[in-house]
């Protein structure tokens, strides 16, 4: 018995961290394998064991025993590494429940899967041993991080330096030819579109299409088998996992991080009436968000929403993250539709949600990058800037403002003879989006991007005014209608060299902005050499040459890649471009950049100039406040109209010269570092940027 005084000192374990959820899934011990599964509503649960080669031949069926608090377990020597198994679950027929004793279900913590047929899966017991050989995580500081978002298959499917047997595979990404490209480009972190086991929706199969992106998760612990080599698939799930870990090891040895795009907000079971493959058959009522009558509350637009207000569902997500971060040595996670994960029992988003806080505070996740896609499609679903300290967020405000400034504003000015807005909003994004992220979080809370897997590629952004998605089978209704793109005078392909040159410069302006902005830049794979999807801004269902990267490049594409290499190198060399904190007026803030703004005359920007649509030229001067690096000061000229402009370099105390580092007007990056005196005139062509080091 606990005395009243002692009881006051004993705090109850937080719900999702309660010991009752420890050891879920399969573990091995003296008595064989012990399998623990959670179902609050179930009446009975059975383990079904299959023959190693005939997945329809049931060799044994054993009952689970209830252990309290919704936990069921069974221990048997039949659960050894390599064993094929499934579970059957039965329960009451009440609103919200969908029990069916005849369904063979994936155990949620499965480390391996094999297909017994369409929508028919077997869990596989995994040993998971792997020799990391001293390989360790690179632990790239956030201020030096440059993310490269890509698709595991699309990256290597057509790479001529990767052996054909490795095309489109985990091993292909770890091949020296692919690693060489990534290292030479200068990026630090590869962010992979979903690699958790996923399924293609039946409606896509009916159209002869496939879910290429992978945002349709089947299981949170198993790597997608189709991305493994044929030899690994032949050997089975243990070899597939080993190949995945081998890829991570090789990338780590090259100093590259691996970030996974993870989809915990919904599953491939879709809406009611969709496949019953796992959670729906185990405890539909508690794993998915529902009304009292059992109707789904779908805030993801995918048919269902995982109910992370249930402790067991939230713990399932947390345990999956722990597994990938530790057993598989993953360096970070980008959380798809992260607002869904932060919805409480009333389905309202809160940054204090127990799961979001557990992810932040878990010692097992202390060294991983945590990136939120800060929205979903439910009420109150747009939450950019609201995830709190410890999170980085995809900054859609940044994306939209940068596209507007270089593309749609220029398009508008051509038709109206004046721009719709001035330079103020763009400057705020350039300097770290302090109007979106608090001072406590700083500029590194912002993951800056101009393009992503979802939407136009960079080349299409400057080549198309509207989407061209007829190939998706939805009569061009799918995909975003508001793209803030500009075709520069012709829709799609053209032989007009004037238009092509203007498009190339627009791409350089967008890339320069991305890599010179305060925050964490994310580059979409293929944008470094101007990849096109022929105007399709929602190519999620195309597993074809439309979405695979082509490595056969025209001279202008090689020049563009050289620009990206130069831009990333300049970002790395100039700490003033990558502050960790926002500067505070009249205070010395370590690792901040003190920013001054000048107009084209070299004079301090006036309040009126910030909002004047006729004024779209500025000089951005950033001076570092070093903690571990040498002092650094840069000047970035930005000119946002198509009229040429002469710009006067400002007179700044202690600055005696400006050294030219990069100009978006150059088709090929220049190695000539011309020097200019303060007060000198620099002639800028229309819509251009020019970076200088101020010494």
């Amino acid at each position: 018995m606990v005395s009243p005084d002692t009881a006051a000192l004993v705090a109850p374990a937080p719900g999702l961290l309660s010991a009752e959820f420890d050891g879920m899934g399969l573990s091995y011990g003296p008595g064989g394998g012990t399998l623990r599964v959670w179902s609050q509503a179930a009446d009975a649960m059975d383990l079904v064991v299959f023959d190693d080669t005939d997945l329809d031949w049931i060799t044994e069926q054993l009952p689970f025993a209830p252990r309290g608090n919704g936990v069921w377990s069974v221990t048997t020597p039949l659960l050894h590494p390599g064993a094929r198994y499934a579970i059957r679950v039965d329960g009451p027929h009440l609103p919200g429940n969908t029990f069916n004793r005849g369904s063979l279900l994936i155990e949620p913590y499965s480390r391996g899967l094999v297909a017994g047929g369409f929508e028919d899966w077997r869990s596989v017991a995994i040993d998971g041993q792997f020799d990391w050989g001293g390989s360790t995580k690179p632990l790239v500081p956030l201020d030096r991080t440059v993310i490269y978002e890509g698709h595991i298959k699309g990256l290597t499917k057509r790479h001529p330096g990767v052996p054909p047997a490795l095309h489109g595979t985990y091993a292909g990404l770890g091949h020296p030819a692919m690693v060489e490209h990534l290292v030479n480009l200068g990026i630090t972190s590869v962010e992979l579109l979903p690699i958790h086991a996923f399924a293609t929706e039946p409606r896509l199969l009916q159209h002869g299409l496939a879910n290429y992106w992978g945002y349709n998760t089947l299981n949170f612990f198993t790597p997608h088998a189709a991305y493994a080599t044929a030899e690994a698939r032949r050997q089975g799930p243990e070899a597939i996992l080993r190949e995945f870990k081998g890829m991570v090891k090789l990338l780590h040895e090259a100093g590259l991080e691996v970030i996974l795009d993870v989809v915990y907000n919904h599953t491939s079971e879709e809406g009611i009436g969709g496949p019953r493959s796992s959670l729906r058959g185990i405890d539909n009522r508690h794993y998915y968000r529902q009304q009292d009558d059992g109707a789904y509350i779908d805030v993801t637009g995918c048919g269902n929403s995982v109910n992370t207000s249930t402790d067991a569902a939230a713990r399932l997500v947390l345990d999956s993250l722990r597994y990938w971060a530790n057993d598989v040595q993953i360096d970070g996670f980008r959380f798809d539709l992260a607002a869904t994960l932060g919805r409480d029992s009333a389905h309202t988003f809160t940054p204090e949600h127990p799961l979001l806080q557990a992810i932040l505070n878990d010692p097992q996740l202390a060294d991983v990058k945590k990136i939120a896609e800060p929205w979903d499609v439910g009420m109150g679903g747009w939450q950019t800037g609201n995830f709190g300290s410890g999170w980085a967020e995809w900054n859609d405000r940044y994306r939209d403002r940068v596209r507007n400034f270089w593309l749609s504003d220029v398009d508008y000015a051509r038709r109206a003879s004046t721009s719709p807005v001035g330079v103020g909003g763009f400057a705020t994004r350039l300097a770290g989006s302090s109007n979106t992220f608090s001072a406590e979080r700083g500029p590194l809370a912002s993951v800056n991007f101009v393009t992503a897997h979802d939407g136009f590629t960079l080349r299409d952004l400057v080549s198309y005014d509207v989407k061209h998605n007829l190939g998706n089978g939805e009569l061009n209704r799918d995909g975003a209608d508001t793209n803030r793109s500009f075709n520069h005078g012709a829709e799609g392909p053209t032989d007009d060299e004037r238009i092509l040159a203007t498009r190339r410069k627009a791409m350089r302006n967008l890339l320069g902005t991305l890599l010179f902005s305060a925050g964490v830049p994310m580059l979409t794979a293929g944008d470094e050499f101007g990849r096109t999807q022929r105007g399709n801004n929602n190519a999620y269902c195309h597993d074809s040459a439309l979405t695979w990267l082509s490595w056969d490049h025209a001279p202008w594409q090689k020049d563009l890649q050289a620009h990206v290499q130069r831009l990333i190198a300049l970002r790395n060399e100039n700490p003033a471009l990558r502050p960790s904190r926002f500067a505070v007026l009249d205070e010395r803030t370590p690792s901040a950049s003190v920013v001054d703004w000048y107009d084209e005359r070299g004079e301090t920007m006036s309040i009126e100039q910030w909002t004047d649509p006729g004024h779209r030229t500025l000089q951005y001067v950033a001076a570092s406040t070093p903690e571990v690096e040498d002092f650094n000061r840069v000047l970035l000229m930005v000119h946002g109209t198509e009229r040429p402009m002469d710009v006067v370099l400002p007179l700044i105390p202690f600055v005696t010269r400006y050294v030219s580092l990069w100009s978006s007007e150059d088709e090929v990056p220049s190695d000539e570092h011309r020097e200019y005196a303060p007060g000198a005139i620099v002639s800028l062509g229309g819509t251009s940027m020019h970076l200088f080091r101020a010494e």
Side-chain angles (χ1 to χ4, degrees):
M1 181 175 178
V2 180
S3 70
D5 291 341
T6 305
L9 300 175
V10 179
L16 72 93
L17 300 179
S18 295
E20 66 196 59
F21 297 122
D22 291 348
M24 298 301 290
L26 179 59
S27 59
Y28 301 111
T34 296
L35 184 61
R36 286 165 53 87
V37 177
W38 184 89
S39 176
Q40 186 70 56
D43 287 339
M45 189 178 299
D46 292 326
L47 170 69
V48 183
V49 182
F50 297 87
D51 180 76
D52 289 345
T53 57
D54 186 346
L55 297 180
D56 289 324
W57 181 8
I58 296 174
T59 60
E60 193 70 62
Q61 188 161 311
L62 302 171
F64 281 76
R67 302 302 183 190
N69 297 314
V71 177
W72 300 72
S73 75
V74 61
T75 299
T76 172
L78 297 173
L79 286 174
H80 54 77
R84 271 68 168 154
Y85 66 97
I87 59 175
R88 298 186 193 271
V89 185
D90 202 0
H93 295 282
L94 297 171
N97 290 342
T98 58
F99 292 111
N100 186 328
R101 189 72 177 252
S103 296
L104 294 168
L105 304 172
I106 297 169
E107 181 266 303
Y109 281 73
S110 300
R111 267 51 164 183
L113 292 175
V114 289
F118 177 65
E119 295 181 3
D120 188 18
W121 301 88
R122 307 288 181 262
S123 298
V124 179
I126 294 294
D127 178 81
Q129 294 297 313
F130 183 78
D131 181 8
W132 290 96
S135 169
T136 59
K137 295 183 178 183
L139 298 176
V140 179
L142 206 54
D143 69 302
R144 288 186 174 272
T145 299
V146 179
I147 298 171
Y148 185 80
E149 188 205 36
H151 187 283
I152 193 76
K153 183 174 184 178
L155 285 167
T156 64
K157 178 64 178 174
R158 305 175 76 186
H159 198 299
V162 174
L166 306 186
H167 280 170
T169 68
Y170 302 125
L173 183 57
H175 188 271
M178 196 65 219
V179 171
E180 180 183 19
H181 174 74
L182 299 172
V183 170
N184 288 346
L185 194 60
I187 61 97
T188 66
S189 311
V190 181
E191 180 178 306
L192 297 175
L193 267 65
I195 58 81
H196 287 172
F198 64 88
T200 290
E201 299 87 335
R203 65 176 181 81
L204 289 178
L205 293 173
Q206 291 169 3
H207 287 90
L209 299 170
N211 188 318
Y212 174 66
W213 287 350
Y215 292 88
N216 200 41
T217 308
L218 186 69
N219 172 265
F220 296 148
F221 289 81
T222 305
H224 192 59
Y227 295 154
T229 57
E231 177 59 22
R233 296 198 305 272
R234 185 189 65 78
Q235 294 180 33
E238 194 82 61
I240 292 169
L241 178 59
R242 199 160 50 242
E243 181 178 318
F244 186 93
K245 290 180 177 179
M247 174 199 73
V248 174
K249 177 182 177 181
L250 290 168
L251 291 173
H252 281 177
E253 289 174 349
L256 297 167
E257 293 184 317
V258 181
I259 297 172
L260 298 185
D261 192 335
V262 285
V263 186
Y264 295 117
N265 58 81
H266 76 282
T267 75
S268 61
E269 292 184 303
E270 302 185 35
I272 293 293
R276 183 191 285 106
S277 56
S278 186
L279 303 181
R280 174 171 291 144
I282 295 171
D283 195 331
N284 183 64
R285 188 57 164 166
H286 292 94
Y287 276 116
Y288 294 120
R289 295 186 181 274
Q290 301 174 28
Q291 306 283 5
D292 291 341
D293 63 359
Y296 276 180
I297 298 172
D298 179 13
V299 298
T300 67
C302 300
N304 65 63
S305 304
V306 174
N307 187 6
T308 52
S309 69
T310 301
D311 291 335
R315 180 62 176 268
L316 175 66
V317 173
L318 185 67
D319 285 345
S320 172
L321 294 169
R322 289 169 166 176
Y323 170 70
W324 290 100
N326 296 293
D327 290 57
V328 194
Q329 290 291 291
I330 294 301
D331 303 278
F333 302 95
R334 179 267 189 189
F335 294 83
D336 182 64
L337 300 183
T340 299
L341 304 183
R343 290 182 180 270
D344 58 21
S345 59
H347 316 297
T348 300
F349 174 81
T350 170
E352 302 305 317
H353 190 285
L355 175 58
L356 299 185
Q357 291 302 307
I359 292 170
L360 284 179
N361 299 320
D362 193 331
Q364 295 187 52
L365 302 176
D367 66 351
V368 302
K369 293 177 167 67
K370 306 165 183 73
I371 303 169
E373 182 185 37
W375 52 77
D376 62 19
V377 301
M379 290 291 292
W382 188 73
Q383 294 292 334
T384 304
N386 294 332
F387 269 71
S389 296
W391 289 93
E393 300 176 36
W394 272 28
N395 189 348
D396 55 323
R397 289 181 171 181
Y398 176 94
R399 173 200 64 200
D400 293 348
R401 178 61 71 180
V402 171
R403 288 187 181 191
N404 281 348
F405 186 81
W406 291 117
L407 300 175
S408 56
D409 288 358
V410 176
D411 180 22
Y412 182 96
R414 281 193 184 183
R415 292 179 281 108
S417 300
T418 184
S419 298
V421 297
V423 74
F426 174 84
T428 300
R429 299 300 163 193
L430 189 67
S433 297
S434 61
N435 60 344
T436 300
F437 301 100
S438 66
E440 292 75 20
R441 299 181 67 189
L444 297 179
S446 177
V447 174
N448 299 329
F449 65 106
V450 176
T451 68
H453 66 276
D454 185 1
F456 280 144
T457 66
L458 181 68
R459 180 175 171 183
D460 289 355
L461 196 63
V462 303
S463 304
Y464 293 90
D465 279 350
V466 295
K467 65 186 181 184
H468 295 264
N469 295 358
L470 283 174
N472 297 357
E474 299 183 44
L475 301 177
N476 211 41
R477 291 190 298 258
D478 65 304
D481 292 314
T482 303
N483 295 286
R484 297 172 169 84
S485 59
F486 180 30
N487 68 20
H488 292 87
E491 186 71 358
T494 180
D495 293 327
D496 188 320
E497 180 51 37
R498 180 185 59 82
I499 292 175
L500 293 174
T502 306
R503 288 176 178 177
R504 293 194 296 270
K505 184 168 64 171
M507 286 190 279
R508 295 192 294 269
N509 285 329
L510 291 164
L511 290 165
T513 302
L514 174 66
L515 289 160
F516 292 160
S517 293
V520 180
M522 185 185 79
L523 178 71
T524 305
D527 279 354
E528 70 268 31
F529 43 72
R531 179 177 77 92
T532 180
Q533 289 179 171
R534 302 197 296 272
N536 192 319
N537 75 349
N538 191 35
Y540 75 102
C541 55
H542 293 278
D543 185 356
S544 68
L546 181 71
T547 51
W548 305 334
L549 270 61
S550 171
W551 297 89
D552 183 14
H553 300 151
W556 72 266
Q557 293 179 290
K558 297 176 182 177
D559 293 340
L560 184 64
Q561 181 172 317
H563 273 284
V564 174
Q565 290 172 301
R566 177 69 58 83
L567 291 168
I568 293 175
L570 288 171
R571 179 182 182 84
N572 188 52
E573 294 164 4
N574 292 277
L577 293 170
R578 42 183 175 81
S580 300
R581 301 182 179 92
F582 292 124
V584 178
L585 187 64
D586 297 327
E587 293 184 17
R588 187 185 187 281
T589 305
S591 293
S593 287
V594 177
V595 176
D596 293 298
W597 306 94
Y598 300 91
D599 63 16
E600 66 275 12
R601 300 186 300 274
E603 299 175 358
T604 300
M605 289 275 287
S606 68
I607 295 176
E608 294 76 20
Q609 286 175 314
W610 288 114
T611 56
D612 179 5
H615 187 266
R616 290 177 49 95
T617 305
L618 62 79
Q619 300 188 74
Y620 164 60
V621 177
S624 69
T625 310
E627 287 184 281
V628 295
E629 298 181 81
D630 292 337
F631 173 76
N632 173 242
R633 182 189 279 126
V634 296
L635 180 147
L636 179 64
M637 289 181 178
V638 175
H639 179 49
T641 73
E642 294 194 295
R643 298 184 302 275
M645 175 75 69
D646 286 341
V647 178
V648 179
L649 288 162
L651 302 175
I652 299 175
F654 309 112
V655 172
T656 60
R657 65 175 181 172
Y658 295 94
V659 180
S660 174
L661 300 178
W662 178 82
S663 171
S664 68
E665 295 188 74
D666 296 331
E667 287 281 358
V668 180
S670 174
D671 292 324
E672 182 184 2
H673 300 303
R674 295 185 59 188
E675 297 182 5
Y676 297 81
I681 293 175
V682 177
S683 295
L684 297 179
T687 55
S688 58
M689 305 177 72
H690 200 141
L691 180 72
F692 301 83
R693 186 171 59 248
E695 298 178 344

